[in-house]
Amino acid sequence: MAKPEKLIENGIRLDGRKPDELRPIKIKVGVLNRADGSCYFEFGGNKVIAAVYGPREVHPRHMQKSTSAVVRYRYNMASFSVEERKRPGPDRRSIEVSKVSRESLEPVIFQEYFPRSAIDIFVEVLQADAGTRTAGINAASIALADAGIPMKSLVSACAVGKVDDTLVLDLNKDEDNYGQADMPIAMTPDGKITLLQMDGHLTREEFKEGLEMAKKGCLAIAELQRSALMEKYSTLIEGEVNE
Amino acid sequence: MDKKLVIPGDFLSDDVKLADEGTYIEDGKVFSSVFGIASLKNHIRVVPLTGKYIPRQGDLIIGIITEVSFSNWIVDIRSPYEGLLHISEFPRRIDNSEMSKHLGVGDSIMTLVKDVDPSMKVELTLNDQRLRQIKDGRVIEVTPSKVPRLIGRSGSMIALLKNETNCNIFIGQNGRVWITGKDKNLDLAVRTIQKIEKESHIPGLTDRIVKFLKDEKESAKRPEQEPEKEPVQEEIVGEETVKEDAEAPEKAEEEKSGGILDELLDK
């Protein structure tokens, strides 16, 4: 798609959202039987699936830590997830995303409970539409909880950016491509930031304002994450009552 | 109600002294650390709905031999950590060269966690009256966090299961369940255990299981009149005497660790 003339018209974005509105989110918990915990997460046009295995034995052995668990995070984009076929396999970008995503989750995991073990997180992007790393982190944090891994709290993530000199929450593909700034943020519900990246330019004031917008977005996502986890077990209860 | 479903990070209480398993303390407040069911009676604890088995000293578990090394058997105990059974922990004195004759790769054993050190080296033992090799019956697996539900309050659920299915059942803390009995009864026991595992977080479990067992028996009776019921009973009685003491200490231990959980879920 060529660059549109205006990305925001009369305070409404190209996809019809207000500047501080998130894209629709759909969450399903426990979608994979073989994984210890799993989650399917839809974030607008993003479709990601996260699987958590562990704590389990560390292979290769030299990676293990004698006093805590190692967390391994693999972010991978399917070759069909973007318009132009993506060459499969890890590349510079996905290695970076894996690293920062891992570091966004490590602070909440009680790693010291499981010495000499590994917690493996796999995030597969099935369809990408800007903001896959935030979608991946959201999914992974639910999958970790689903796997029964002790954590301080969940982690929620979303992005803020600047398009047409306006701050917007949760950029979509066009806004990401033609906007002026993109800043993904991950945080715990009590406001501790575990991931903050930025490309583009923001003034100090814009940065502060953007951070507040992202906070609100993350809180909204945290609520959805909670209800998704609750739903996994409440449906079971209802199903039983009806029997 | 004193129990509720919580997710990691949920605030539970201001009373730090009551904090127990599945919680963490920050700024003088107690929060949940796992996704599970919280109970606020007596102690504040959260029982996870899923999770791996983490060995603890004194646990009676079921392991499978995966390797025979120079003086140790390496045992899969369904946990991130492998169990080590040293040759000296075998009930009889045996020679290094004869280890695989007594316990070979793939053999199942009922074993006791003798010690776990801070780096999670797990030492097992067979040197106990209650312990033995598993040679017959069936071993199935359930989520380790559901084990206390399967045993029930002071062993009520397992007693019910044993009576109703005419099977002998041993539940390892690592979620492996050993069942012995007639094939048909085995099937019923397995199905019942799977039902318990699936529904253990829903109140009124015991009543539902009683009903389930009754229904299953009725439908089983109709096609044939279960002629061989008597001999089964006898067989079980013989073995029961040996194993009863195996079960008792575990039950006692369950009351300690799982008692609150039972109260919390059995409503």
mmCIF file of all heavy atoms in Angstrom, chain A residues 36 55-57 110 114-116 145-148 150-154 192 226 229-230 233 236 240, chain B residues 5 7-10 24 26 33-35 49-52 54 80-81 118-121 199 201 208:
data_model
loop_
_atom_site.group_PDB
_atom_site.id
_atom_site.type_symbol
_atom_site.label_atom_id
_atom_site.label_comp_id
_atom_site.label_asym_id
_atom_site.label_seq_id
_atom_site.Cartn_x
_atom_site.Cartn_y
_atom_site.Cartn_z
ATOM 1 N N ASP A 36 2.888 -27.493 28.314
ATOM 2 C CA ASP A 36 2.460 -27.357 29.707
ATOM 3 C C ASP A 36 1.514 -26.168 29.862
ATOM 4 O O ASP A 36 0.634 -26.176 30.713
ATOM 5 C CB ASP A 36 3.687 -27.184 30.607
ATOM 6 C CG ASP A 36 4.559 -28.426 30.600
ATOM 7 O OD1 ASP A 36 3.993 -29.524 30.748
ATOM 8 O OD2 ASP A 36 5.777 -28.307 30.432
ATOM 9 N N PRO A 55 8.967 -26.067 34.140
ATOM 10 C CA PRO A 55 10.408 -26.277 34.135
ATOM 11 C C PRO A 55 10.784 -27.698 33.720
ATOM 12 O O PRO A 55 10.117 -28.643 34.103
ATOM 13 C CB PRO A 55 10.814 -26.019 35.585
ATOM 14 C CG PRO A 55 9.561 -25.935 36.375
ATOM 15 C CD PRO A 55 8.440 -25.729 35.455
ATOM 16 N N ARG A 56 11.813 -27.786 32.918
ATOM 17 C CA ARG A 56 12.271 -29.099 32.474
ATOM 18 C C ARG A 56 13.788 -29.112 32.415
ATOM 19 O O ARG A 56 14.433 -28.085 32.606
ATOM 20 C CB ARG A 56 11.664 -29.453 31.113
ATOM 21 C CG ARG A 56 12.078 -28.527 29.981
ATOM 22 C CD ARG A 56 11.450 -29.018 28.687
ATOM 23 N NE ARG A 56 11.762 -28.152 27.560
ATOM 24 C CZ ARG A 56 11.268 -28.334 26.345
ATOM 25 N NH1 ARG A 56 10.424 -29.322 26.105
ATOM 26 N NH2 ARG A 56 11.591 -27.536 25.354
ATOM 27 N N GLU A 57 14.333 -30.297 32.124
ATOM 28 C CA GLU A 57 15.791 -30.446 32.080
ATOM 29 C C GLU A 57 16.398 -29.535 31.019
ATOM 30 O O GLU A 57 15.789 -29.305 29.981
ATOM 31 C CB GLU A 57 16.147 -31.892 31.734
ATOM 32 C CG GLU A 57 16.407 -32.764 32.946
ATOM 33 C CD GLU A 57 16.739 -34.173 32.501
ATOM 34 O OE1 GLU A 57 17.888 -34.403 32.111
ATOM 35 O OE2 GLU A 57 15.842 -35.028 32.536
ATOM 36 N N PHE A 110 9.618 -16.399 39.062
ATOM 37 C CA PHE A 110 10.436 -16.812 40.206
ATOM 38 C C PHE A 110 11.415 -17.887 39.739
ATOM 39 O O PHE A 110 11.214 -19.076 39.975
ATOM 40 C CB PHE A 110 9.556 -17.350 41.335
ATOM 41 C CG PHE A 110 8.820 -16.280 42.077
ATOM 42 C CD1 PHE A 110 7.478 -16.057 41.838
ATOM 43 C CD2 PHE A 110 9.467 -15.497 43.017
ATOM 44 C CE1 PHE A 110 6.788 -15.060 42.518
ATOM 45 C CE2 PHE A 110 8.793 -14.502 43.706
ATOM 46 C CZ PHE A 110 7.451 -14.283 43.454
ATOM 47 N N PHE A 114 13.426 -22.989 40.710
ATOM 48 C CA PHE A 114 13.719 -24.200 39.927
ATOM 49 C C PHE A 114 15.166 -24.217 39.450
ATOM 50 O O PHE A 114 15.433 -24.026 38.264
ATOM 51 C CB PHE A 114 12.779 -24.275 38.715
ATOM 52 C CG PHE A 114 11.339 -24.157 39.052
ATOM 53 C CD1 PHE A 114 10.635 -23.004 38.754
ATOM 54 C CD2 PHE A 114 10.666 -25.188 39.689
ATOM 55 C CE1 PHE A 114 9.292 -22.882 39.077
ATOM 56 C CE2 PHE A 114 9.333 -25.079 40.014
ATOM 57 C CZ PHE A 114 8.645 -23.929 39.709
ATOM 58 N N PRO A 115 16.111 -24.437 40.377
ATOM 59 C CA PRO A 115 17.506 -24.480 39.938
ATOM 60 C C PRO A 115 17.733 -25.596 38.922
ATOM 61 O O PRO A 115 17.033 -26.602 38.932
ATOM 62 C CB PRO A 115 18.288 -24.726 41.232
ATOM 63 C CG PRO A 115 17.302 -25.267 42.193
ATOM 64 C CD PRO A 115 15.982 -24.710 41.805
ATOM 65 N N ARG A 116 18.710 -25.412 38.080
ATOM 66 C CA ARG A 116 19.122 -26.412 37.088
ATOM 67 C C ARG A 116 17.985 -26.837 36.160
ATOM 68 O O ARG A 116 17.896 -27.989 35.751
ATOM 69 C CB ARG A 116 19.699 -27.645 37.783
ATOM 70 C CG ARG A 116 21.010 -27.349 38.525
ATOM 71 C CD ARG A 116 21.814 -28.594 38.767
ATOM 72 N NE ARG A 116 21.108 -29.580 39.565
ATOM 73 C CZ ARG A 116 20.886 -30.820 39.190
ATOM 74 N NH1 ARG A 116 21.334 -31.239 38.041
ATOM 75 N NH2 ARG A 116 20.245 -31.662 39.979
ATOM 76 N N ALA A 145 1.367 -18.499 32.992
ATOM 77 C CA ALA A 145 0.418 -18.706 34.087
ATOM 78 C C ALA A 145 -0.306 -20.025 33.902
ATOM 79 O O ALA A 145 -0.487 -20.794 34.857
ATOM 80 C CB ALA A 145 -0.577 -17.556 34.146
ATOM 81 N N ASP A 146 -0.677 -20.336 32.676
ATOM 82 C CA ASP A 146 -1.393 -21.575 32.374
ATOM 83 C C ASP A 146 -0.524 -22.800 32.681
ATOM 84 O O ASP A 146 -1.027 -23.861 33.026
ATOM 85 C CB ASP A 146 -1.829 -21.567 30.904
ATOM 86 C CG ASP A 146 -2.653 -22.778 30.531
ATOM 87 O OD1 ASP A 146 -3.464 -23.202 31.374
ATOM 88 O OD2 ASP A 146 -2.487 -23.298 29.413
ATOM 89 N N ALA A 147 0.795 -22.622 32.557
ATOM 90 C CA ALA A 147 1.703 -23.738 32.841
ATOM 91 C C ALA A 147 1.924 -23.908 34.342
ATOM 92 O O ALA A 147 2.635 -24.807 34.761
ATOM 93 C CB ALA A 147 3.041 -23.520 32.139
ATOM 94 N N GLY A 148 1.346 -23.036 35.142
ATOM 95 C CA GLY A 148 1.495 -23.148 36.591
ATOM 96 C C GLY A 148 2.828 -22.654 37.098
ATOM 97 O O GLY A 148 3.263 -23.031 38.184
ATOM 98 N N PRO A 150 5.288 -20.119 38.849
ATOM 99 C CA PRO A 150 5.114 -19.020 39.800
ATOM 100 C C PRO A 150 5.655 -17.701 39.247
ATOM 101 O O PRO A 150 6.781 -17.648 38.759
ATOM 102 C CB PRO A 150 5.926 -19.461 41.024
ATOM 103 C CG PRO A 150 6.343 -20.854 40.774
ATOM 104 C CD PRO A 150 6.216 -21.144 39.329
ATOM 105 N N MET A 151 4.829 -16.681 39.328
ATOM 106 C CA MET A 151 5.213 -15.372 38.803
ATOM 107 C C MET A 151 4.747 -14.291 39.777
ATOM 108 O O MET A 151 3.814 -14.495 40.536
ATOM 109 C CB MET A 151 4.529 -15.116 37.463
ATOM 110 C CG MET A 151 4.938 -16.043 36.360
ATOM 111 S SD MET A 151 4.362 -15.426 34.781
ATOM 112 C CE MET A 151 2.648 -15.816 34.859
ATOM 113 N N LYS A 152 5.387 -13.141 39.697
ATOM 114 C CA LYS A 152 4.957 -12.017 40.532
ATOM 115 C C LYS A 152 3.639 -11.457 40.026
ATOM 116 O O LYS A 152 2.795 -11.047 40.808
ATOM 117 C CB LYS A 152 6.021 -10.922 40.523
ATOM 118 C CG LYS A 152 7.170 -11.250 41.446
ATOM 119 C CD LYS A 152 8.035 -10.035 41.674
ATOM 120 C CE LYS A 152 9.123 -10.368 42.684
ATOM 121 N NZ LYS A 152 10.401 -9.799 42.302
ATOM 122 N N SER A 153 3.507 -11.397 38.725
ATOM 123 C CA SER A 153 2.252 -10.933 38.126
ATOM 124 C C SER A 153 2.307 -11.269 36.640
ATOM 125 O O SER A 153 3.300 -11.781 36.154
ATOM 126 C CB SER A 153 2.083 -9.427 38.306
ATOM 127 O OG SER A 153 3.087 -8.756 37.594
ATOM 128 N N LEU A 154 1.230 -10.980 35.953
ATOM 129 C CA LEU A 154 1.256 -11.105 34.503
ATOM 130 C C LEU A 154 2.008 -9.910 33.925
ATOM 131 O O LEU A 154 2.267 -8.929 34.613
ATOM 132 C CB LEU A 154 -0.166 -11.129 33.951
ATOM 133 C CG LEU A 154 -1.038 -12.321 34.316
ATOM 134 C CD1 LEU A 154 -2.397 -12.168 33.669
ATOM 135 C CD2 LEU A 154 -0.408 -13.625 33.868
ATOM 136 N N LYS A 192 5.218 -1.441 36.691
ATOM 137 C CA LYS A 192 6.663 -1.617 36.533
ATOM 138 C C LYS A 192 6.959 -1.958 35.078
ATOM 139 O O LYS A 192 6.436 -2.941 34.550
ATOM 140 C CB LYS A 192 7.163 -2.727 37.452
ATOM 141 C CG LYS A 192 7.078 -2.333 38.906
ATOM 142 C CD LYS A 192 7.926 -3.274 39.762
ATOM 143 C CE LYS A 192 7.777 -2.961 41.234
ATOM 144 N NZ LYS A 192 6.754 -3.814 41.894
ATOM 145 N N ARG A 226 -6.706 -11.552 32.368
ATOM 146 C CA ARG A 226 -7.281 -12.170 33.556
ATOM 147 C C ARG A 226 -8.553 -12.931 33.204
ATOM 148 O O ARG A 226 -8.712 -14.100 33.546
ATOM 149 C CB ARG A 226 -7.586 -11.104 34.597
ATOM 150 C CG ARG A 226 -8.665 -11.523 35.605
ATOM 151 C CD ARG A 226 -9.090 -10.355 36.445
ATOM 152 N NE ARG A 226 -7.973 -9.948 37.270
ATOM 153 C CZ ARG A 226 -7.680 -10.512 38.427
ATOM 154 N NH1 ARG A 226 -8.438 -11.477 38.888
ATOM 155 N NH2 ARG A 226 -6.650 -10.124 39.118
ATOM 156 N N LEU A 229 -7.975 -16.220 31.429
ATOM 157 C CA LEU A 229 -7.526 -17.308 32.298
ATOM 158 C C LEU A 229 -8.695 -17.848 33.125
ATOM 159 O O LEU A 229 -8.870 -19.059 33.271
ATOM 160 C CB LEU A 229 -6.420 -16.804 33.231
ATOM 161 C CG LEU A 229 -5.018 -16.759 32.634
ATOM 162 C CD1 LEU A 229 -4.071 -16.013 33.550
ATOM 163 C CD2 LEU A 229 -4.493 -18.160 32.376
ATOM 164 N N MET A 230 -9.489 -16.930 33.651
ATOM 165 C CA MET A 230 -10.635 -17.355 34.470
ATOM 166 C C MET A 230 -11.597 -18.199 33.644
ATOM 167 O O MET A 230 -12.152 -19.180 34.120
ATOM 168 C CB MET A 230 -11.383 -16.130 34.995
ATOM 169 C CG MET A 230 -10.557 -15.261 35.920
ATOM 170 S SD MET A 230 -10.257 -16.101 37.458
ATOM 171 C CE MET A 230 -9.301 -14.900 38.355
ATOM 172 N N TYR A 233 -11.463 -22.087 33.284
ATOM 173 C CA TYR A 233 -12.016 -22.973 34.301
ATOM 174 C C TYR A 233 -13.483 -22.732 34.585
ATOM 175 O O TYR A 233 -14.188 -23.650 35.000
ATOM 176 C CB TYR A 233 -11.160 -22.894 35.561
ATOM 177 C CG TYR A 233 -9.876 -23.637 35.354
ATOM 178 C CD1 TYR A 233 -8.746 -22.993 34.895
ATOM 179 C CD2 TYR A 233 -9.830 -25.013 35.515
ATOM 180 C CE1 TYR A 233 -7.586 -23.681 34.631
ATOM 181 C CE2 TYR A 233 -8.682 -25.715 35.250
ATOM 182 C CZ TYR A 233 -7.555 -25.041 34.813
ATOM 183 O OH TYR A 233 -6.417 -25.736 34.531
ATOM 184 N N LEU A 236 -15.827 -24.826 32.407
ATOM 185 C CA LEU A 236 -15.897 -26.198 32.891
ATOM 186 C C LEU A 236 -16.934 -26.319 34.000
ATOM 187 O O LEU A 236 -17.711 -27.263 34.046
ATOM 188 C CB LEU A 236 -14.530 -26.607 33.443
ATOM 189 C CG LEU A 236 -13.679 -27.480 32.535
ATOM 190 C CD1 LEU A 236 -12.321 -27.681 33.117
ATOM 191 C CD2 LEU A 236 -14.363 -28.814 32.311
ATOM 192 N N GLU A 240 -20.580 -28.462 33.865
ATOM 193 C CA GLU A 240 -20.879 -29.528 34.808
ATOM 194 C C GLU A 240 -22.249 -29.325 35.450
ATOM 195 O O GLU A 240 -23.014 -30.249 35.638
ATOM 196 C CB GLU A 240 -19.780 -29.551 35.894
ATOM 197 C CG GLU A 240 -19.821 -30.770 36.762
ATOM 198 C CD GLU A 240 -19.892 -32.028 35.936
ATOM 199 O OE1 GLU A 240 -19.180 -32.150 34.918
ATOM 200 O OE2 GLU A 240 -20.691 -32.899 36.303
ATOM 201 N N LEU B 5 -10.659 -18.346 42.548
ATOM 202 C CA LEU B 5 -9.680 -18.516 41.484
ATOM 203 C C LEU B 5 -8.841 -17.241 41.407
ATOM 204 O O LEU B 5 -9.390 -16.147 41.334
ATOM 205 C CB LEU B 5 -10.444 -18.734 40.170
ATOM 206 C CG LEU B 5 -9.750 -19.414 39.009
ATOM 207 C CD1 LEU B 5 -9.217 -20.772 39.415
ATOM 208 C CD2 LEU B 5 -10.736 -19.571 37.866
ATOM 209 N N ILE B 7 -5.082 -15.265 39.854
ATOM 210 C CA ILE B 7 -3.972 -15.301 38.904
ATOM 211 C C ILE B 7 -2.746 -14.683 39.570
ATOM 212 O O ILE B 7 -2.875 -14.008 40.595
ATOM 213 C CB ILE B 7 -4.323 -14.577 37.585
ATOM 214 C CG1 ILE B 7 -4.613 -13.101 37.836
ATOM 215 C CG2 ILE B 7 -5.487 -15.232 36.886
ATOM 216 C CD1 ILE B 7 -4.663 -12.281 36.566
ATOM 217 N N PRO B 8 -1.553 -14.900 39.021
ATOM 218 C CA PRO B 8 -0.357 -14.334 39.639
ATOM 219 C C PRO B 8 -0.490 -12.827 39.827
ATOM 220 O O PRO B 8 -0.952 -12.125 38.935
ATOM 221 C CB PRO B 8 0.751 -14.663 38.640
ATOM 222 C CG PRO B 8 0.278 -15.853 37.917
ATOM 223 C CD PRO B 8 -1.215 -15.729 37.853
ATOM 224 N N GLY B 9 -0.096 -12.345 40.991
ATOM 225 C CA GLY B 9 -0.134 -10.918 41.257
ATOM 226 C C GLY B 9 -1.389 -10.454 41.970
ATOM 227 O O GLY B 9 -1.480 -9.293 42.332
ATOM 228 N N ASP B 10 -2.355 -11.346 42.176
ATOM 229 C CA ASP B 10 -3.578 -10.945 42.872
ATOM 230 C C ASP B 10 -3.304 -10.722 44.346
ATOM 231 O O ASP B 10 -2.637 -11.526 45.002
ATOM 232 C CB ASP B 10 -4.666 -12.022 42.704
ATOM 233 C CG ASP B 10 -5.389 -11.867 41.388
ATOM 234 O OD1 ASP B 10 -5.045 -10.934 40.649
ATOM 235 O OD2 ASP B 10 -6.286 -12.677 41.102
ATOM 236 N N TYR B 24 3.613 -14.848 47.549
ATOM 237 C CA TYR B 24 4.843 -14.122 47.836
ATOM 238 C C TYR B 24 4.496 -12.828 48.552
ATOM 239 O O TYR B 24 3.340 -12.376 48.522
ATOM 240 C CB TYR B 24 5.652 -13.853 46.562
ATOM 241 C CG TYR B 24 5.075 -12.832 45.629
ATOM 242 C CD1 TYR B 24 5.504 -11.503 45.674
ATOM 243 C CD2 TYR B 24 4.123 -13.175 44.681
ATOM 244 C CE1 TYR B 24 4.983 -10.558 44.802
ATOM 245 C CE2 TYR B 24 3.593 -12.231 43.807
ATOM 246 C CZ TYR B 24 4.030 -10.924 43.870
ATOM 247 O OH TYR B 24 3.511 -9.993 43.015
ATOM 248 N N GLU B 26 5.326 -8.801 49.358
ATOM 249 C CA GLU B 26 5.975 -7.580 48.902
ATOM 250 C C GLU B 26 5.339 -6.409 49.625
ATOM 251 O O GLU B 26 4.109 -6.331 49.711
ATOM 252 C CB GLU B 26 5.828 -7.435 47.385
ATOM 253 C CG GLU B 26 6.962 -6.649 46.759
ATOM 254 C CD GLU B 26 6.927 -6.750 45.240
ATOM 255 O OE1 GLU B 26 6.111 -6.056 44.619
ATOM 256 O OE2 GLU B 26 7.703 -7.533 44.674
ATOM 257 N N SER B 33 1.243 -16.123 43.731
ATOM 258 C CA SER B 33 2.329 -16.263 42.765
ATOM 259 C C SER B 33 1.985 -17.241 41.649
ATOM 260 O O SER B 33 2.730 -17.378 40.697
ATOM 261 C CB SER B 33 3.623 -16.703 43.451
ATOM 262 O OG SER B 33 3.504 -18.016 43.923
ATOM 263 N N VAL B 34 0.871 -17.944 41.776
ATOM 264 C CA VAL B 34 0.503 -18.890 40.725
ATOM 265 C C VAL B 34 -0.959 -18.718 40.330
ATOM 266 O O VAL B 34 -1.743 -18.075 41.030
ATOM 267 C CB VAL B 34 0.734 -20.365 41.156
ATOM 268 C CG1 VAL B 34 2.204 -20.671 41.241
ATOM 269 C CG2 VAL B 34 0.024 -20.672 42.448
ATOM 270 N N PHE B 35 -1.290 -19.323 39.209
ATOM 271 C CA PHE B 35 -2.664 -19.370 38.728
ATOM 272 C C PHE B 35 -3.310 -20.584 39.382
ATOM 273 O O PHE B 35 -2.930 -21.713 39.093
ATOM 274 C CB PHE B 35 -2.646 -19.500 37.200
ATOM 275 C CG PHE B 35 -3.985 -19.697 36.564
ATOM 276 C CD1 PHE B 35 -5.095 -18.989 36.984
ATOM 277 C CD2 PHE B 35 -4.117 -20.586 35.506
ATOM 278 C CE1 PHE B 35 -6.329 -19.169 36.378
ATOM 279 C CE2 PHE B 35 -5.341 -20.766 34.888
ATOM 280 C CZ PHE B 35 -6.442 -20.058 35.327
ATOM 281 N N LEU B 49 -3.361 -24.903 39.549
ATOM 282 C CA LEU B 49 -4.218 -25.811 38.795
ATOM 283 C C LEU B 49 -3.390 -26.755 37.941
ATOM 284 O O LEU B 49 -3.834 -27.832 37.583
ATOM 285 C CB LEU B 49 -5.165 -25.009 37.910
ATOM 286 C CG LEU B 49 -6.286 -24.305 38.674
ATOM 287 C CD1 LEU B 49 -6.840 -23.152 37.884
ATOM 288 C CD2 LEU B 49 -7.380 -25.285 39.026
ATOM 289 N N THR B 50 -2.190 -26.335 37.596
ATOM 290 C CA THR B 50 -1.303 -27.194 36.816
ATOM 291 C C THR B 50 0.103 -27.027 37.370
ATOM 292 O O THR B 50 0.327 -26.224 38.268
ATOM 293 C CB THR B 50 -1.286 -26.773 35.336
ATOM 294 O OG1 THR B 50 -1.070 -25.366 35.280
ATOM 295 C CG2 THR B 50 -2.567 -27.121 34.639
ATOM 296 N N GLY B 51 1.039 -27.741 36.806
ATOM 297 C CA GLY B 51 2.425 -27.566 37.234
ATOM 298 C C GLY B 51 3.163 -28.872 37.321
ATOM 299 O O GLY B 51 2.577 -29.944 37.335
ATOM 300 N N LYS B 52 4.470 -28.747 37.380
ATOM 301 C CA LYS B 52 5.337 -29.909 37.417
ATOM 302 C C LYS B 52 5.507 -30.404 38.847
ATOM 303 O O LYS B 52 5.354 -29.645 39.810
ATOM 304 C CB LYS B 52 6.706 -29.532 36.851
ATOM 305 C CG LYS B 52 6.707 -29.373 35.341
ATOM 306 C CD LYS B 52 6.849 -30.713 34.654
ATOM 307 C CE LYS B 52 6.399 -30.676 33.222
ATOM 308 N NZ LYS B 52 7.374 -30.134 32.309
ATOM 309 N N ILE B 54 7.661 -31.186 41.897
ATOM 310 C CA ILE B 54 8.952 -30.806 42.456
ATOM 311 C C ILE B 54 9.202 -31.704 43.661
ATOM 312 O O ILE B 54 8.441 -31.674 44.627
ATOM 313 C CB ILE B 54 8.957 -29.325 42.884
ATOM 314 C CG1 ILE B 54 8.621 -28.421 41.689
ATOM 315 C CG2 ILE B 54 10.306 -28.941 43.482
ATOM 316 C CD1 ILE B 54 9.601 -28.487 40.538
ATOM 317 N N PRO B 80 11.403 -31.991 36.603
ATOM 318 C CA PRO B 80 12.550 -31.473 35.855
ATOM 319 C C PRO B 80 13.858 -32.115 36.289
ATOM 320 O O PRO B 80 14.866 -31.972 35.605
ATOM 321 C CB PRO B 80 12.569 -29.982 36.188
ATOM 322 C CG PRO B 80 11.249 -29.671 36.757
ATOM 323 C CD PRO B 80 10.699 -30.923 37.322
ATOM 324 N N TYR B 81 13.837 -32.779 37.407
ATOM 325 C CA TYR B 81 15.068 -33.347 37.948
ATOM 326 C C TYR B 81 14.992 -34.867 37.943
ATOM 327 O O TYR B 81 13.940 -35.431 38.178
ATOM 328 C CB TYR B 81 15.292 -32.836 39.372
ATOM 329 C CG TYR B 81 15.126 -31.351 39.449
ATOM 330 C CD1 TYR B 81 13.962 -30.788 39.962
ATOM 331 C CD2 TYR B 81 16.113 -30.514 38.952
ATOM 332 C CE1 TYR B 81 13.795 -29.411 39.993
ATOM 333 C CE2 TYR B 81 15.950 -29.150 38.975
ATOM 334 C CZ TYR B 81 14.794 -28.597 39.498
ATOM 335 O OH TYR B 81 14.633 -27.240 39.513
ATOM 336 N N PRO B 118 19.902 -28.496 47.932
ATOM 337 C CA PRO B 118 19.499 -27.210 47.336
ATOM 338 C C PRO B 118 19.715 -27.132 45.829
ATOM 339 O O PRO B 118 19.034 -26.378 45.142
ATOM 340 C CB PRO B 118 20.386 -26.192 48.060
ATOM 341 C CG PRO B 118 20.773 -26.846 49.324
ATOM 342 C CD PRO B 118 20.853 -28.306 49.041
ATOM 343 N N SER B 119 20.652 -27.916 45.291
ATOM 344 C CA SER B 119 20.824 -27.885 43.846
ATOM 345 C C SER B 119 19.936 -28.915 43.158
ATOM 346 O O SER B 119 20.124 -29.229 41.991
ATOM 347 C CB SER B 119 22.284 -28.123 43.484
ATOM 348 O OG SER B 119 22.645 -29.450 43.764
ATOM 349 N N MET B 120 18.972 -29.428 43.916
ATOM 350 C CA MET B 120 17.967 -30.363 43.426
ATOM 351 C C MET B 120 18.547 -31.705 42.974
ATOM 352 O O MET B 120 18.109 -32.278 41.989
ATOM 353 C CB MET B 120 17.146 -29.744 42.294
ATOM 354 C CG MET B 120 16.378 -28.506 42.708
ATOM 355 S SD MET B 120 15.383 -28.742 44.183
ATOM 356 C CE MET B 120 13.900 -29.446 43.516
ATOM 357 N N LYS B 121 19.545 -32.178 43.687
ATOM 358 C CA LYS B 121 19.984 -33.554 43.489
ATOM 359 C C LYS B 121 19.026 -34.410 44.300
ATOM 360 O O LYS B 121 18.898 -34.226 45.516
ATOM 361 C CB LYS B 121 21.420 -33.707 43.974
ATOM 362 C CG LYS B 121 22.042 -35.028 43.615
ATOM 363 C CD LYS B 121 23.514 -35.044 44.004
ATOM 364 C CE LYS B 121 23.838 -36.370 44.640
ATOM 365 N NZ LYS B 121 24.965 -36.285 45.554
ATOM 366 N N GLU B 199 -12.277 -32.744 36.967
ATOM 367 C CA GLU B 199 -13.299 -31.940 37.637
ATOM 368 C C GLU B 199 -12.933 -31.561 39.062
ATOM 369 O O GLU B 199 -13.789 -31.119 39.826
ATOM 370 C CB GLU B 199 -14.617 -32.723 37.633
ATOM 371 C CG GLU B 199 -15.089 -33.024 36.225
ATOM 372 C CD GLU B 199 -16.349 -33.862 36.217
ATOM 373 O OE1 GLU B 199 -16.876 -34.135 37.302
ATOM 374 O OE2 GLU B 199 -16.781 -34.239 35.131
ATOM 375 N N HIS B 201 -11.610 -29.190 40.498
ATOM 376 C CA HIS B 201 -11.767 -27.825 41.000
ATOM 377 C C HIS B 201 -13.223 -27.427 41.156
ATOM 378 O O HIS B 201 -13.523 -26.323 41.569
ATOM 379 C CB HIS B 201 -11.066 -26.848 40.058
ATOM 380 C CG HIS B 201 -11.610 -26.886 38.668
ATOM 381 N ND1 HIS B 201 -11.372 -27.926 37.807
ATOM 382 C CD2 HIS B 201 -12.422 -26.032 38.017
ATOM 383 C CE1 HIS B 201 -11.994 -27.689 36.674
ATOM 384 N NE2 HIS B 201 -12.638 -26.551 36.767
ATOM 385 N N ARG B 208 -20.419 -36.413 43.050
ATOM 386 C CA ARG B 208 -20.448 -36.709 41.631
ATOM 387 C C ARG B 208 -19.729 -38.011 41.322
ATOM 388 O O ARG B 208 -20.148 -38.775 40.465
ATOM 389 C CB ARG B 208 -19.812 -35.560 40.846
ATOM 390 C CG ARG B 208 -20.803 -34.873 39.951
ATOM 391 C CD ARG B 208 -20.247 -33.628 39.312
ATOM 392 N NE ARG B 208 -19.666 -32.737 40.279
ATOM 393 C CZ ARG B 208 -18.400 -32.363 40.274
ATOM 394 N NH1 ARG B 208 -17.591 -32.824 39.355
ATOM 395 N NH2 ARG B 208 -17.948 -31.534 41.177
#
